[in-house]
Amino acid sequence: MKSAAWTLVFAVALVASLALRAWLASRQVRHVARHRDAVPAPFRDTVAPAAHRKAADYTLARIRLGQWQMAFGAVTLLGWTLFGGLDLLNGALWRAVGPRWGGLPYEVALFAAVFAIEGLLHLPFDLYATFGVEARFGFNRMTWKLWLADAVKGLVLAVVIGLPLVALVLWIMAASGALWWLWAWAAWAAFNLIALVVYPTLIAPLFNRFVPLADKSLEERVRALMARAGFAAKGLFVMDGSRRSAHGNAYFTGFGAARRVVFFDTLLARLAPAEVEAVLAHELGHFKLGHIVRRIAVMLGAALALSAAFGYLAGQSWFYTGLGVRPALGGPNNAVALILLMFVAPVIGSFVSPLFAGLSRRHEFEADAWAARHADGQALASALLKLHEDNASTLTPDPVYARFYYSHPPAVERLAALRLGWSPTPGIAS
Ligand SMILES: [Zn+2]
Protein backbone atom coordinates (compact mmCIF):
# COMPACT_ATOMS: atom_id res chain seq x y z
CA MET A 1 0.00 0.00 0.00
CA LYS A 2 1.10 3.56 -0.63
CA SER A 3 1.48 5.79 2.36
CA ALA A 4 -1.14 8.25 1.05
CA ALA A 5 -3.66 5.45 0.57
CA TRP A 6 -3.08 4.30 4.15
CA THR A 7 -3.59 7.88 5.40
CA LEU A 8 -6.88 7.92 3.53
CA VAL A 9 -7.99 4.56 4.96
CA PHE A 10 -7.14 5.73 8.48
CA ALA A 11 -8.88 9.10 8.04
CA VAL A 12 -12.02 7.50 6.58
CA ALA A 13 -12.15 4.92 9.39
CA LEU A 14 -11.74 7.66 12.00
CA VAL A 15 -14.44 9.87 10.49
CA ALA A 16 -16.78 6.89 10.09
CA SER A 17 -16.30 5.81 13.69
CA LEU A 18 -16.87 9.37 14.95
CA ALA A 19 -19.99 9.74 12.82
CA LEU A 20 -21.33 6.39 13.97
CA ARG A 21 -20.76 7.15 17.64
CA ALA A 22 -22.18 10.66 17.36
CA TRP A 23 -25.28 9.29 15.62
CA LEU A 24 -25.78 6.64 18.31
CA ALA A 25 -25.33 9.21 21.08
CA SER A 26 -27.87 11.54 19.48
CA ARG A 27 -30.36 8.66 19.28
CA GLN A 28 -29.81 7.86 22.95
CA VAL A 29 -30.19 11.52 23.97
CA ARG A 30 -33.45 11.87 22.06
CA HIS A 31 -34.86 8.59 23.33
CA VAL A 32 -34.00 9.16 26.98
CA ALA A 33 -35.17 12.79 26.95
CA ARG A 34 -38.48 11.83 25.33
CA HIS A 35 -39.19 9.26 28.06
CA ARG A 36 -37.88 11.36 30.93
CA ASP A 37 -41.23 12.23 32.45
CA ALA A 38 -43.03 8.90 32.23
CA VAL A 39 -41.95 5.76 34.08
CA PRO A 40 -42.42 2.79 31.69
CA ALA A 41 -45.54 0.75 32.45
CA PRO A 42 -43.86 -2.37 33.95
CA PHE A 43 -42.12 -0.18 36.55
CA ARG A 44 -44.97 2.18 37.56
CA ASP A 45 -45.41 0.51 40.94
CA THR A 46 -41.75 0.12 41.79
CA VAL A 47 -39.90 3.14 40.42
CA ALA A 48 -40.64 6.67 41.64
CA PRO A 49 -40.96 9.38 38.98
CA ALA A 50 -38.19 11.40 40.67
CA ALA A 51 -35.76 8.46 40.47
CA HIS A 52 -36.69 7.93 36.83
CA ARG A 53 -36.03 11.58 36.01
CA LYS A 54 -32.72 11.47 37.88
CA ALA A 55 -31.66 8.44 35.84
CA ALA A 56 -32.54 10.29 32.63
CA ASP A 57 -30.61 13.41 33.66
CA TYR A 58 -27.62 11.38 34.77
CA THR A 59 -27.59 9.42 31.50
CA LEU A 60 -27.77 12.65 29.48
CA ALA A 61 -25.00 14.29 31.50
CA ARG A 62 -22.71 11.31 30.97
CA ILE A 63 -23.40 11.21 27.24
CA ARG A 64 -22.67 14.91 26.93
CA LEU A 65 -19.35 14.44 28.70
CA GLY A 66 -18.68 11.41 26.49
CA GLN A 67 -19.25 13.51 23.38
CA TRP A 68 -16.68 16.08 24.48
CA GLN A 69 -14.25 13.32 25.34
CA MET A 70 -14.75 11.69 21.97
CA ALA A 71 -14.15 14.96 20.09
CA PHE A 72 -11.09 15.75 22.18
CA GLY A 73 -9.76 12.21 21.74
CA ALA A 74 -10.08 12.56 17.96
CA VAL A 75 -8.20 15.87 18.03
CA THR A 76 -5.34 14.45 20.11
CA LEU A 77 -5.22 11.33 17.91
CA LEU A 78 -4.84 13.51 14.82
CA GLY A 79 -2.31 15.65 16.69
CA TRP A 80 -0.18 12.61 17.48
CA THR A 81 -0.43 11.10 14.02
CA LEU A 82 -1.21 13.11 10.91
CA PHE A 83 -0.21 16.45 12.44
CA GLY A 84 3.15 15.08 13.45
CA GLY A 85 3.10 15.09 17.27
CA LEU A 86 4.58 11.63 17.67
CA ASP A 87 7.14 12.29 14.95
CA LEU A 88 8.23 15.48 16.69
CA LEU A 89 8.50 13.85 20.12
CA ASN A 90 10.26 10.81 18.68
CA GLY A 91 12.86 12.93 16.89
CA ALA A 92 13.46 15.23 19.85
CA LEU A 93 13.78 12.39 22.34
CA TRP A 94 16.11 10.44 20.09
CA ARG A 95 18.37 13.45 19.67
CA ALA A 96 18.29 14.15 23.41
CA VAL A 97 18.97 10.70 24.83
CA GLY A 98 18.85 8.09 22.05
CA PRO A 99 22.52 7.55 21.21
CA ARG A 100 23.53 7.78 24.85
CA TRP A 101 20.86 5.49 26.29
CA GLY A 102 20.72 3.07 23.39
CA GLY A 103 17.78 1.26 21.81
CA LEU A 104 15.65 -0.27 24.52
CA PRO A 105 15.86 2.37 27.29
CA TYR A 106 15.16 5.08 24.73
CA GLU A 107 12.14 3.17 23.43
CA VAL A 108 10.74 2.65 26.92
CA ALA A 109 11.25 6.37 27.58
CA LEU A 110 9.33 7.26 24.41
CA PHE A 111 6.50 4.97 25.47
CA ALA A 112 6.40 6.48 28.95
CA ALA A 113 6.49 10.03 27.57
CA VAL A 114 3.57 9.42 25.19
CA PHE A 115 1.43 7.86 27.88
CA ALA A 116 2.28 10.53 30.43
CA ILE A 117 1.26 13.24 27.95
CA GLU A 118 -1.93 11.37 27.00
CA GLY A 119 -2.77 10.94 30.69
CA LEU A 120 -2.27 14.64 31.41
CA LEU A 121 -4.30 15.69 28.37
CA HIS A 122 -7.25 13.56 29.44
CA LEU A 123 -6.93 14.35 33.14
CA PRO A 124 -9.47 17.23 33.10
CA PHE A 125 -12.14 14.85 31.78
CA ASP A 126 -11.45 12.28 34.48
CA LEU A 127 -11.60 14.98 37.14
CA TYR A 128 -14.80 16.43 35.75
CA ALA A 129 -16.40 12.98 35.56
CA THR A 130 -15.66 12.32 39.25
CA PHE A 131 -15.95 15.74 40.86
CA GLY A 132 -18.41 17.21 38.36
CA VAL A 133 -20.95 14.69 37.05
CA GLU A 134 -20.71 12.01 39.74
CA ALA A 135 -20.73 14.62 42.51
CA ARG A 136 -23.67 16.52 41.00
CA PHE A 137 -25.80 13.39 41.12
CA GLY A 138 -24.69 12.50 44.63
CA PHE A 139 -22.63 9.43 43.69
CA ASN A 140 -19.13 10.67 44.35
CA ARG A 141 -17.59 9.87 47.73
CA MET A 142 -14.04 10.52 46.58
CA THR A 143 -12.10 13.27 48.35
CA TRP A 144 -9.28 15.16 46.69
CA LYS A 145 -6.88 13.52 49.09
CA LEU A 146 -8.06 10.03 48.17
CA TRP A 147 -7.99 10.94 44.50
CA LEU A 148 -4.39 12.06 44.79
CA ALA A 149 -3.41 8.94 46.73
CA ASP A 150 -5.04 6.76 44.03
CA ALA A 151 -3.23 8.67 41.31
CA VAL A 152 0.15 8.23 43.00
CA LYS A 153 -0.43 4.50 43.54
CA GLY A 154 -1.60 4.09 39.95
CA LEU A 155 1.50 5.87 38.71
CA VAL A 156 3.79 3.72 40.84
CA LEU A 157 2.10 0.55 39.57
CA ALA A 158 2.42 1.77 35.98
CA VAL A 159 6.13 2.30 36.48
CA VAL A 160 6.77 -0.89 38.46
CA ILE A 161 4.57 -3.25 36.42
CA GLY A 162 3.67 -1.49 33.17
CA LEU A 163 7.09 -0.34 32.05
CA PRO A 164 8.83 -3.71 32.55
CA LEU A 165 6.04 -5.34 30.51
CA VAL A 166 6.51 -2.78 27.75
CA ALA A 167 10.27 -3.33 27.92
CA LEU A 168 9.74 -7.09 27.64
CA VAL A 169 7.49 -6.74 24.58
CA LEU A 170 9.92 -4.30 22.93
CA TRP A 171 12.81 -6.64 23.65
CA ILE A 172 10.89 -9.55 22.12
CA MET A 173 10.12 -7.43 19.06
CA ALA A 174 13.80 -6.74 18.57
CA ALA A 175 15.23 -10.12 19.47
CA SER A 176 12.96 -12.93 18.31
CA GLY A 177 12.88 -12.84 14.53
CA ALA A 178 9.95 -13.05 12.11
CA LEU A 179 7.51 -14.58 14.57
CA TRP A 180 8.11 -11.93 17.23
CA TRP A 181 4.42 -11.02 17.22
CA LEU A 182 3.55 -14.53 18.39
CA TRP A 183 6.06 -14.38 21.25
CA ALA A 184 4.96 -10.88 22.18
CA TRP A 185 1.37 -12.06 22.28
CA ALA A 186 2.38 -15.04 24.46
CA ALA A 187 4.15 -12.73 26.90
CA TRP A 188 1.16 -10.42 27.03
CA ALA A 189 -1.22 -13.37 27.54
CA ALA A 190 0.94 -14.80 30.32
CA PHE A 191 1.03 -11.40 31.98
CA ASN A 192 -2.78 -11.19 31.88
CA LEU A 193 -3.25 -14.67 33.29
CA ILE A 194 -0.80 -13.95 36.11
CA ALA A 195 -2.62 -10.68 36.80
CA LEU A 196 -5.87 -12.63 37.31
CA VAL A 197 -4.25 -14.47 40.20
CA VAL A 198 -2.19 -11.60 41.58
CA TYR A 199 -4.73 -8.79 41.29
CA PRO A 200 -7.22 -9.78 44.02
CA THR A 201 -4.60 -10.61 46.63
CA LEU A 202 -1.86 -8.07 45.93
CA ILE A 203 -3.13 -5.14 43.86
CA ALA A 204 -6.76 -4.59 44.88
CA PRO A 205 -5.86 -4.29 48.61
CA LEU A 206 -3.67 -1.30 47.72
CA PHE A 207 -6.80 0.63 46.81
CA ASN A 208 -9.49 -0.78 49.08
CA ARG A 209 -9.90 -2.47 52.40
CA PHE A 210 -11.23 -6.03 52.34
CA VAL A 211 -12.68 -7.46 55.50
CA PRO A 212 -14.23 -10.92 55.91
CA LEU A 213 -18.01 -10.89 55.73
CA ALA A 214 -19.18 -10.40 59.31
CA ASP A 215 -22.92 -11.04 58.88
CA LYS A 216 -23.19 -14.69 59.98
CA SER A 217 -26.70 -15.36 58.68
CA LEU A 218 -25.80 -13.93 55.29
CA GLU A 219 -22.62 -15.96 55.26
CA GLU A 220 -24.61 -19.14 55.96
CA ARG A 221 -26.97 -18.28 53.14
CA VAL A 222 -24.15 -17.68 50.74
CA ARG A 223 -22.29 -20.82 51.75
CA ALA A 224 -25.45 -22.88 51.30
CA LEU A 225 -25.87 -21.45 47.81
CA MET A 226 -22.26 -22.23 46.93
CA ALA A 227 -22.61 -25.75 48.31
CA ARG A 228 -25.76 -26.30 46.20
CA ALA A 229 -23.86 -25.09 43.17
CA GLY A 230 -20.74 -27.09 43.97
CA PHE A 231 -18.55 -24.02 44.08
CA ALA A 232 -15.54 -23.46 46.28
CA ALA A 233 -14.16 -20.04 47.11
CA LYS A 234 -11.34 -19.07 49.40
CA GLY A 235 -13.25 -16.43 51.24
CA LEU A 236 -16.12 -13.97 51.38
CA PHE A 237 -15.06 -10.36 51.62
CA VAL A 238 -16.67 -6.99 51.97
CA MET A 239 -14.96 -4.15 50.13
CA ASP A 240 -15.26 -0.51 51.16
CA GLY A 241 -16.52 0.64 47.75
CA SER A 242 -18.33 3.46 49.55
CA ARG A 243 -14.99 5.25 49.96
CA ARG A 244 -15.18 6.27 46.32
CA SER A 245 -18.69 5.90 45.01
CA ALA A 246 -22.26 5.18 45.99
CA HIS A 247 -22.63 2.72 43.10
CA GLY A 248 -23.00 -0.89 44.24
CA ASN A 249 -21.60 -4.16 42.92
CA ALA A 250 -20.50 -7.71 43.73
CA TYR A 251 -17.96 -9.87 41.98
CA PHE A 252 -15.82 -12.95 41.95
CA THR A 253 -12.17 -12.61 41.33
CA GLY A 254 -9.18 -14.80 40.94
CA PHE A 255 -8.66 -18.37 39.97
CA GLY A 256 -7.89 -21.54 41.87
CA ALA A 257 -6.51 -20.79 45.28
CA ALA A 258 -6.95 -17.05 44.88
CA ARG A 259 -10.66 -17.31 44.13
CA ARG A 260 -12.80 -15.12 46.35
CA VAL A 261 -16.18 -13.47 46.51
CA VAL A 262 -16.24 -9.72 47.00
CA PHE A 263 -19.30 -7.68 47.99
CA PHE A 264 -19.26 -3.91 47.85
CA ASP A 265 -20.41 -2.52 51.19
CA THR A 266 -22.77 -0.29 49.20
CA LEU A 267 -24.48 -3.42 47.86
CA LEU A 268 -24.93 -5.01 51.29
CA ALA A 269 -26.33 -1.77 52.68
CA ARG A 270 -28.97 -1.62 50.00
CA LEU A 271 -30.14 -5.18 49.34
CA ALA A 272 -32.07 -7.66 51.46
CA PRO A 273 -30.30 -10.99 52.18
CA ALA A 274 -32.38 -12.88 49.59
CA GLU A 275 -31.43 -10.24 47.01
CA VAL A 276 -27.74 -10.46 47.86
CA GLU A 277 -27.97 -14.22 47.47
CA ALA A 278 -29.66 -13.84 44.08
CA VAL A 279 -27.04 -11.37 42.83
CA LEU A 280 -24.31 -13.74 43.95
CA ALA A 281 -26.11 -16.61 42.21
CA HIS A 282 -25.99 -14.56 39.01
CA GLU A 283 -22.22 -14.15 39.37
CA LEU A 284 -21.88 -17.86 40.18
CA GLY A 285 -23.84 -18.55 37.01
CA HIS A 286 -21.17 -16.77 35.00
CA PHE A 287 -18.59 -19.13 36.47
CA LYS A 288 -20.62 -22.29 36.21
CA LEU A 289 -21.66 -21.67 32.61
CA GLY A 290 -18.07 -21.13 31.55
CA HIS A 291 -18.55 -17.46 30.68
CA ILE A 292 -15.40 -16.34 32.42
CA VAL A 293 -13.20 -18.85 30.65
CA ARG A 294 -14.88 -18.11 27.32
CA ARG A 295 -14.51 -14.36 27.83
CA ILE A 296 -10.79 -14.81 28.46
CA ALA A 297 -10.46 -17.10 25.43
CA VAL A 298 -12.21 -14.52 23.21
CA MET A 299 -9.98 -11.76 24.56
CA LEU A 300 -6.82 -13.78 23.94
CA GLY A 301 -8.04 -14.81 20.47
CA ALA A 302 -8.81 -11.22 19.49
CA ALA A 303 -5.40 -10.14 20.78
CA LEU A 304 -3.73 -12.89 18.74
CA ALA A 305 -5.47 -11.72 15.56
CA LEU A 306 -4.43 -8.15 16.31
CA SER A 307 -0.84 -9.26 16.97
CA ALA A 308 -0.68 -11.15 13.69
CA ALA A 309 -1.94 -8.10 11.79
CA PHE A 310 0.52 -5.97 13.67
CA GLY A 311 3.35 -8.37 12.87
CA TYR A 312 2.76 -7.54 9.24
CA LEU A 313 2.10 -3.79 9.62
CA ALA A 314 5.16 -3.03 11.74
CA GLY A 315 7.38 -4.15 8.85
CA GLN A 316 5.78 -1.80 6.28
CA SER A 317 7.20 1.69 5.95
CA TRP A 318 3.83 3.07 4.75
CA PHE A 319 2.31 2.09 8.12
CA TYR A 320 4.53 4.75 9.73
CA THR A 321 4.67 7.43 7.08
CA GLY A 322 0.94 7.17 6.39
CA LEU A 323 0.33 8.01 10.07
CA GLY A 324 2.69 10.97 10.07
CA VAL A 325 5.79 9.35 11.53
CA ARG A 326 9.14 9.01 9.77
CA PRO A 327 10.73 5.71 10.73
CA ALA A 328 14.04 6.40 12.42
CA LEU A 329 16.83 5.32 10.11
CA GLY A 330 19.53 5.09 12.75
CA GLY A 331 17.39 4.09 15.72
CA PRO A 332 14.84 1.40 16.51
CA ASN A 333 11.17 1.74 15.48
CA ASN A 334 9.47 -0.82 17.68
CA ALA A 335 8.20 1.64 20.27
CA VAL A 336 6.78 3.88 17.55
CA ALA A 337 5.09 0.87 15.96
CA LEU A 338 3.58 -0.21 19.27
CA ILE A 339 2.34 3.30 20.05
CA LEU A 340 0.77 3.65 16.60
CA LEU A 341 -0.94 0.31 17.07
CA MET A 342 -2.40 1.51 20.35
CA PHE A 343 -3.69 4.63 18.63
CA VAL A 344 -5.17 2.81 15.65
CA ALA A 345 -6.66 -0.22 17.39
CA PRO A 346 -9.51 1.65 19.18
CA VAL A 347 -10.64 3.17 15.87
CA ILE A 348 -10.95 -0.30 14.37
CA GLY A 349 -12.30 -1.58 17.69
CA SER A 350 -15.30 0.73 17.63
CA PHE A 351 -16.63 -1.28 14.68
CA VAL A 352 -16.18 -4.72 16.25
CA SER A 353 -17.12 -3.90 19.85
CA PRO A 354 -20.85 -4.57 19.22
CA LEU A 355 -19.96 -8.23 18.65
CA PHE A 356 -18.42 -8.45 22.11
CA ALA A 357 -21.29 -6.50 23.66
CA GLY A 358 -23.77 -8.92 22.05
CA LEU A 359 -21.92 -11.93 23.41
CA SER A 360 -21.82 -10.34 26.85
CA ARG A 361 -25.59 -9.65 26.82
CA ARG A 362 -26.27 -13.26 25.90
CA HIS A 363 -24.16 -14.34 28.88
CA GLU A 364 -26.09 -11.99 31.17
CA PHE A 365 -29.40 -13.58 30.17
CA GLU A 366 -27.95 -17.04 30.76
CA ALA A 367 -26.53 -16.07 34.17
CA ASP A 368 -29.91 -14.59 35.15
CA ALA A 369 -31.64 -17.82 34.18
CA TRP A 370 -29.08 -19.85 36.11
CA ALA A 371 -29.61 -17.63 39.16
CA ALA A 372 -33.37 -18.06 38.91
CA ARG A 373 -32.91 -21.84 38.97
CA HIS A 374 -30.52 -21.86 41.95
CA ALA A 375 -31.86 -18.93 43.98
CA ASP A 376 -34.94 -16.72 44.03
CA GLY A 377 -35.63 -15.22 40.59
CA GLN A 378 -38.07 -12.73 42.09
CA ALA A 379 -35.37 -11.51 44.49
CA LEU A 380 -32.97 -11.14 41.57
CA ALA A 381 -35.53 -9.05 39.72
CA SER A 382 -36.02 -6.71 42.67
CA ALA A 383 -32.25 -6.53 43.25
CA LEU A 384 -31.68 -5.59 39.61
CA LEU A 385 -34.22 -2.84 39.89
CA LYS A 386 -32.60 -1.46 43.06
CA LEU A 387 -29.16 -1.57 41.48
CA HIS A 388 -30.52 0.18 38.43
CA GLU A 389 -31.92 2.90 40.61
CA ASP A 390 -28.73 3.22 42.67
CA ASN A 391 -26.65 3.48 39.55
CA ALA A 392 -29.23 5.79 37.94
CA SER A 393 -29.20 3.60 34.84
CA THR A 394 -31.93 4.63 32.47
CA LEU A 395 -34.88 2.27 32.08
CA THR A 396 -35.55 3.67 28.63
CA PRO A 397 -32.40 3.38 26.51
CA ASP A 398 -32.57 3.71 22.76
CA PRO A 399 -32.77 0.12 21.42
CA VAL A 400 -30.11 0.67 18.74
CA TYR A 401 -27.75 2.37 21.19
CA ALA A 402 -28.24 -0.47 23.68
CA ARG A 403 -27.55 -3.11 21.05
CA PHE A 404 -24.34 -1.38 20.08
CA TYR A 405 -22.87 -0.56 23.49
CA TYR A 406 -24.61 -2.32 26.34
CA SER A 407 -22.70 -5.16 27.94
CA HIS A 408 -25.82 -5.84 30.03
CA PRO A 409 -29.31 -6.08 28.51
CA PRO A 410 -31.68 -3.21 29.36
CA ALA A 411 -33.59 -3.80 32.61
CA VAL A 412 -36.93 -4.18 30.83
CA GLU A 413 -35.58 -7.13 28.85
CA ARG A 414 -33.87 -8.78 31.81
CA LEU A 415 -36.94 -8.53 34.02
CA ALA A 416 -39.20 -9.77 31.24
CA ALA A 417 -36.89 -12.75 30.69
CA LEU A 418 -36.87 -13.49 34.44
CA ARG A 419 -40.63 -13.30 34.67
CA LEU A 420 -41.19 -15.55 31.69
CA GLY A 421 -38.47 -18.00 32.52
CA TRP A 422 -35.55 -17.75 30.22
CA SER A 423 -35.56 -18.57 26.56
CA PRO A 424 -32.99 -17.30 24.13
CA THR A 425 -34.60 -14.32 22.46
CA PRO A 426 -32.78 -14.06 19.16
CA GLY A 427 -33.82 -10.47 18.58
CA ILE A 428 -32.19 -9.31 21.78
CA ALA A 429 -29.45 -11.64 22.81
CA SER A 430 -27.70 -12.28 19.55
ZN1 LIG B 1 -23.51 -10.64 34.89
Side-chain angles (χ1 to χ4, degrees), residues 198-218:
V198 169
Y199 181 82
T201 41
L202 293 182
I203 309 286
L206 296 176
F207 293 91
N208 283 96
R209 205 172 24 220
F210 294 81
V211 293
L213 180 64
D215 183 335
K216 286 298 158 208
S217 76
L218 183 59

Side-chain angles (χ1 to χ4, degrees), residues 113-423:
V114 168
F115 278 82
I117 294 169
E118 268 288 284
L120 284 176
L121 286 173
H122 286 90
L123 189 60
F125 291 100
D126 296 342
L127 289 176
Y128 181 68
T130 303
F131 296 103
V133 176
E134 290 290 304
R136 181 143 47 90
F137 288 90
F139 291 129
N140 181 45
R141 303 269 176 83
M142 190 97 111
T143 60
W144 283 97
K145 213 176 126 189
L146 180 59
W147 181 87
L148 199 66
D150 280 0
V152 169
K153 286 180 204 167
L155 200 62
V156 170
L157 283 176
V159 170
V160 172
I161 299 175
L163 287 186
L165 177 68
V166 167
L168 175 66
V169 169
L170 289 169
W171 177 77
I172 290 172
M173 288 175 79
S176 60
L179 282 181
W180 63 262
W181 55 270
L182 191 60
W183 295 109
W185 171 81
W188 179 85
F191 171 81
N192 271 278
L193 295 178
I194 293 168
L196 282 176
V197 179
V198 169
Y199 181 82
T201 41
L202 293 182
I203 309 286
L206 296 176
F207 293 91
N208 283 96
R209 205 172 24 220
F210 294 81
V211 293
L213 180 64
D215 183 335
K216 286 298 158 208
S217 76
L218 183 59
E219 182 184 346
E220 246 165 63
R221 243 194 137 100
V222 166
R223 294 223 180 266
L225 167 70
M226 294 201 295
R228 283 205 302 282
F231 181 90
K234 265 303 233 197
L236 309 174
F237 293 88
V238 179
M239 187 189 104
D240 56 347
S242 59
R243 282 180 76 195
R244 294 188 178 78
S245 163
H247 298 307
N249 208 345
Y251 65 90
F252 285 109
T253 60
F255 269 91
R259 196 151 72 175
R260 47 173 58 188
V261 176
V262 175
F263 299 103
F264 280 41
D265 54 356
T266 38
L267 182 94
L268 295 185
R270 182 74 162 109
L271 300 186
E275 293 169 333
V276 173
E277 182 187 338
V279 168
L280 189 62
H282 169 97
E283 297 300 326
L284 262 175
H286 280 310
F287 250 98
K288 281 282 160 184
L289 297 166
H291 295 166
I292 314 281
V293 173
R294 244 181 294 167
R295 202 173 302 170
I296 292 169
V298 166
M299 180 188 80
L300 293 182
L304 182 60
L306 193 66
S307 295
F310 186 47
Y312 166 73
L313 289 173
Q316 314 299 318
S317 62
W318 52 258
F319 176 68
Y320 303 85
T321 51
L323 292 175
V325 185
R326 288 164 297 172
L329 296 175
N333 290 299
N334 292 332
V336 169
L338 207 54
I339 291 163
L340 286 179
L341 173 79
M342 287 183 166
F343 283 149
V344 172
V347 178
I348 311 302
S350 62
F351 298 104
V352 288
S353 62
L355 295 176
F356 296 102
L359 179 70
S360 169
R361 288 197 303 275
R362 171 176 284 276
H363 286 171
E364 293 306 323
F365 278 125
E366 291 173 4
D368 280 351
W370 195 94
R373 283 199 302 277
H374 293 83
D376 182 353
Q378 227 34 59
L380 180 60
S382 69
L384 285 177
L385 213 49
K386 279 187 187 175
L387 289 177
H388 246 72
E389 190 169 330
D390 286 2
N391 292 326
S393 312
T394 178
L395 293 169
T396 56
D398 172 59
V400 179
Y401 184 91
R403 276 197 74 143
F404 197 90
Y405 284 118
Y406 276 27
S407 63
H408 289 61
V412 187
E413 293 173 12
R414 285 180 81 176
L415 295 198
L418 274 171
R419 228 169 327 208
L420 299 174
W422 186 77
S423 62

